[in-house]
Amino acid sequence: MALQQKQHGTWVTLPASVTTARNGSYSLGVKLGLKGVNELRIVSGNTASPVSP
C-alpha cells in the first residue's frame, strides 16, 4: 500500500508505504510539506481509497 497526495491536479505517491496486518488494519504516519488542505488517498494495486481532505 502507498500514500498518495494530489499535487496540482495529479496524484503523486509519497515516500511512505505500509503493509497490512493479517486482520487488514494498518497505521501510517507522514509529515506533509504543503500548507493548507491536502487531498490524500491510500492505493493498493488498482484500488484506491476515497479521498480524505
Side-chain angles (χ1 to χ4, degrees):
M1 292 178 29
L3 177 65
Q4 290 187 331
Q5 179 183 40
K6 200 166 205 180
Q7 297 177 2
H8 309 291
T10 302
W11 287 105
V12 176
T13 299
L14 299 178
S17 62
V18 65
T19 54
T20 57
R22 286 181 180 235
N23 67 1
S25 66
Y26 62 90
S27 178
L28 177 67
V30 65
K31 185 174 181 178
L32 300 173
L34 295 177
K35 294 184 188 243
V37 175
N38 286 276
E39 292 181 280
L40 303 170
R41 68 181 184 180
I42 295 289
V43 176
S44 180
N46 292 328
T47 304
S49 71
V51 176
S52 174

